Amino acid sequence: MTTYIKSGLNAALRQPFATIILFLYQMGWGVLLYKLAQGVLVPLMHRYPGSGQPKEALQLFLAEGQFQLLKTNLSHSYLWWLAALLFVRMLLTPMLNSGVYYSLTHSQQNAGYRFFRGIKELMLPFLIAYTVRIALSLLPLIWLLPKAQRQLAHSTSYEEAALQLLPWFLGMLVYGFLLHLLFMYVQFAIAAKLSILSTLITFIRFSLPIIGLALILLLSSGLLAGITVAATYLWAGLVALIIYQLFPLFHIFMQMWAMTSQYQLLSAKMNG
């Protein structure tokens, strides 16, 4: 396990171009969502009654908001914006993934060249894989949503319903995590031109070390987040600001490290 982590770290350090591209993408997407939320919430909060207002003012504010959302077309423009952003993200994510995975599997080529060549060659199969993954991710909701509605209808409080649904929510998280790992290996196979069937067999045979490796790096990423939060409290000022601004870059690098480590494991098992 340590061997894959070390070789994955060395491989991740050789991917500065892909790391920076992903960092800029995440930063740009975050700014876009922030501006959209700001444009909606700031005018709304101007109408929010202050703490000195009577309780009836808050009830009137909530009733007015409910009426505007359910009885008018006020929310339609925002919903269309969200749908358009979701569509754009569903196109950009597989496009960027195709460049990243091609870079990981063709590290002997020039960094910028291999990234854009991966987008050119692999965009379509990665889009298909991404669509299949989204469909499989949403599939359990066909059964889970009616169950949640029945649970809410027969519960005396939202807290009770949440406790009853918590095991199913945790199950969905585990299912999503395993699906993420599975499609990571599918994308490795597409990018490296390996047999998808052989790659899936390898994934099943060595699922325990694959999951263990993913959990180790996931915990490391969580530890890094905890250290970052603690550092911003301990070293308030310019140092804390620099650490806070660099954390997204570190987080992207940890994601890259997780992918390169898994690819090192796949290469060793396929060639072993």
Side-chain angles (χ1 to χ4, degrees), residues 13 45 53 70 92 99 128 159-160 163-164 166 177 182 188 194 204 209 241 247 253 257 269:
L13 291 172
M45 295 309 295
Q53 298 294 324
L70 300 179
L92 289 178
I128 294 173
E159 291 79 7
E160 180 186 349
L163 287 175
Q164 293 293 331
L166 182 60
F177 175 71
L182 176 64
F188 283 147
L194 303 173
I204 295 171
L241 179 62
F247 174 72
F253 179 78
W257 188 4
K269 301 305 182 184

Side-chain angles (χ1 to χ4, degrees), residues 80-122:
W80 278 112
W81 263 107
L82 288 175
L85 289 175
L86 179 63
F87 178 74
V88 170
R89 188 172 179 86
M90 291 184 68
L91 289 178
L92 289 178
T93 298
M95 182 182 75
L96 292 174
N97 283 344
S98 60
V100 170
Y101 279 81
Y102 191 90
S103 294
L104 298 183
T105 55
H106 297 79
S107 57
Q108 72 280 3
Q109 300 178 8
N110 176 270
Y113 169 77
R114 67 178 183 247
F115 184 87
F116 291 108
R117 182 175 180 180
I119 293 176
K120 180 180 178 180
E121 292 188 4
L122 303 177

Side-chain angles (χ1 to χ4, degrees), residues 22-34:
L22 288 179
F23 169 69
L24 294 175
Y25 168 67
Q26 295 289 353
M27 183 176 66
W29 191 258
V31 170
L32 180 62
L33 291 180
Y34 172 78

Side-chain angles (χ1 to χ4, degrees), residues 113-160:
Y113 169 77
R114 67 178 183 247
F115 184 87
F116 291 108
R117 182 175 180 180
I119 293 176
K120 180 180 178 180
E121 292 188 4
L122 303 177
M123 173 63 184
L124 182 58
F126 268 66
L127 179 60
I128 294 173
Y130 182 75
T131 304
V132 173
R133 179 190 165 186
I134 293 296
L136 291 176
S137 299
L138 298 177
L139 188 62
L141 295 179
I142 298 175
W143 176 80
L144 193 58
L145 286 178
K147 181 178 180 62
Q149 290 176 341
R150 290 194 300 270
Q151 192 64 51
L152 287 171
H154 293 88
S155 298
T156 57
S157 65
Y158 289 114
E159 291 79 7
E160 180 186 349

Side-chain angles (χ1 to χ4, degrees), residues 6-242:
K6 289 182 178 178
S7 58
L9 176 60
N10 292 328
L13 291 172
R14 295 195 297 269
Q15 303 294 332
F17 187 85
T19 302
I20 294 298
I21 289 293
L22 288 179
F23 169 69
L24 294 175
Y25 168 67
Q26 295 289 353
M27 183 176 66
W29 191 258
V31 170
L32 180 62
L33 291 180
Y34 172 78
K35 291 296 185 182
L36 179 63
Q38 186 183 45
V40 176
L41 294 178
V42 170
L44 183 64
M45 295 309 295
H46 284 313
R47 298 172 57 86
Y48 187 82
S51 57
Q53 298 294 324
K55 184 179 179 181
E56 291 76 10
L58 176 60
Q59 293 176 342
L60 180 62
F61 172 79
L62 295 176
E64 180 185 359
Q66 182 179 12
F67 176 82
Q68 290 182 340
L69 286 175
L70 300 179
K71 302 298 183 179
T72 70
N73 60 356
L74 178 67
S75 62
H76 292 179
S77 60
Y78 299 119
L79 291 176
W80 278 112
W81 263 107
L82 288 175
L85 289 175
L86 179 63
F87 178 74
V88 170
R89 188 172 179 86
M90 291 184 68
L91 289 178
L92 289 178
T93 298
M95 182 182 75
L96 292 174
N97 283 344
S98 60
V100 170
Y101 279 81
Y102 191 90
S103 294
L104 298 183
T105 55
H106 297 79
S107 57
Q108 72 280 3
Q109 300 178 8
N110 176 270
Y113 169 77
R114 67 178 183 247
F115 184 87
F116 291 108
R117 182 175 180 180
I119 293 176
K120 180 180 178 180
E121 292 188 4
L122 303 177
M123 173 63 184
L124 182 58
F126 268 66
L127 179 60
I128 294 173
Y130 182 75
T131 304
V132 173
R133 179 190 165 186
I134 293 296
L136 291 176
S137 299
L138 298 177
L139 188 62
L141 295 179
I142 298 175
W143 176 80
L144 193 58
L145 286 178
K147 181 178 180 62
Q149 290 176 341
R150 290 194 300 270
Q151 192 64 51
L152 287 171
H154 293 88
S155 298
T156 57
S157 65
Y158 289 114
E159 291 79 7
E160 180 186 349
L163 287 175
Q164 293 293 331
L165 294 172
L166 182 60
W168 301 105
F169 176 72
L170 295 177
M172 283 289 294
L173 289 180
V174 173
Y175 172 71
F177 175 71
L178 295 177
L179 206 61
H180 166 73
L181 286 178
L182 176 64
F183 274 86
M184 181 185 293
Y185 275 70
V186 169
Q187 290 172 111
F188 283 147
I190 296 173
K193 293 182 170 55
L194 303 173
S195 168
I196 294 181
L197 180 60
S198 299
T199 303
L200 292 178
I201 293 174
T202 301
F203 179 84
I204 295 171
R205 285 183 59 199
F206 300 99
S207 57
L208 288 181
I210 288 171
I211 294 172
L213 181 60
L215 288 176
I216 289 172
L217 289 169
L218 183 63
L219 291 174
S220 300
S221 181
L223 180 62
L224 175 65
I227 293 173
T228 303
V229 172
T232 56
Y233 280 103
L234 293 175
W235 300 321
L238 180 61
V239 175
L241 179 62
I242 294 173

